[in-house]
Amino acid sequence: MYKIQTLDRISAVGLDNFPRDEYEIASEIMKPDAILVRSHDMLSMELDENVKAVARAGAGVNNIPCKDLAAKGVVVFNTPGANANAVKELVILGLLIASRPVIAANKFCNGLAGKGAEIATLAEKGKKDYIGNELKGKTLGVIGLGAIGAQVANTAIELGMNVVGYDPFLSIDAAWSLNHMVKHAETLDTVLAKADYLTFHVPETPDTKGFVNANTIKNMKDGVRLINIARGGLVNNEDVLAAINSGKVSCMVTDFAAEELLNNDKVICMPHLGASTPEAEDNCAVMAVKELRDFLETGAIKNSVNYPKCKMDNAIPKNGTRLCIAHKNVPNMIAQFTSVLGEAKLNISGMVDQNRGDIAYCMIDVDGKVEEDTLNKLAAADGVIKVRPIYA
């Protein structure tokens, strides 16, 4: 019986994918095998040593101490792409409200309350103050062409926009998913100089924090409109406000409210609505549950942010053991494993080892049951972080 602790409200559609005769799920649970989380702050949490994995039902993992957990052998998963459609639709809304001042126009109309028969005439007369522009024919710059950025780019093409994307780490899958009319720029400055609209779809890291600042803004087209539905830390708000005051930036639509951004006619703030749809919550939960089940039941790792992708193509041998070993990415590790198993007279029927930076993960299929003494010897090997057996 696996034990799963939930730190936030997790979609029932996702939780229903746990077989209840094999899994116990609760918000308060002793010695959980894994944790499901959304936005709960785990940075200062003390985890039970029994925890083997954490799955974030969403893409961002800023609330999880991923590096520290990697050092303890705890695999952290996220759910890239599960909320992509919800975020994409909000970005498209951002493009529209950055172009057509419908929010201000709505406030104007509401201000006509009580005017009775005069409303139609006053509304018609006042509409000249709320003229906008069309998206068709304008150029959209998309910074980051992952699951969300690619969908935004494709939809913008369907709206008649010219789209220029920039992503130095463009994956093969993302490249295949892009509409052939999306132009891929070789340099960031190329996108900044051409775009009438810029939308950002990169994670917030030490390298990208404050990415939109005075230096990058000066390379942008005059009158550019900025859309940030990705991460608040990507934008230096003070620099953007200065650019708005100078006319360099026409407006910004952001999903990250801050004191300095409020009550500014050229800044539209939303309260982090990007993935706030029931469909996105369901999709993220379903994916997170699948990742945990695959890992706990077979040892497979997919969509981890702190461990390498790794899986065995074959099932665990009949009456056998699959050893899942988190270890440091240093020489002589495999030799230590095979030596211990050889001494125990255990035959290895399959093996795979993958690394990610200074962390590695090894899966070894053994014919027969690996006893506690052998597990202890493997765990004691120099460079081993954690050993977990899965018995057939």
Side-chain angles (χ1 to χ4, degrees), residues 328-342:
K328 296 179 181 178
N329 184 24
V330 294
N332 202 41
M333 295 306 305
I334 303 301
Q336 291 187 80
F337 304 154
T338 57
S339 175
V340 171
L341 295 173

Side-chain angles (χ1 to χ4, degrees), residues 35-38 53-57 64 75-78 288 291-292:
I35 291 173
L36 265 171
V37 63
R38 289 177 63 205
V54 173
R56 159 78 162 99
I64 304 170
V75 180
V76 179
F77 298 92
N78 69 344
E291 291 165 350
L292 285 184

Side-chain angles (χ1 to χ4, degrees), residues 159-176:
L159 291 172
M161 301 188 78
N162 305 310
V163 180
V164 182
Y166 175 75
D167 191 333
F169 307 107
L170 182 65
S171 70
I172 293 174
D173 288 344
W176 276 108

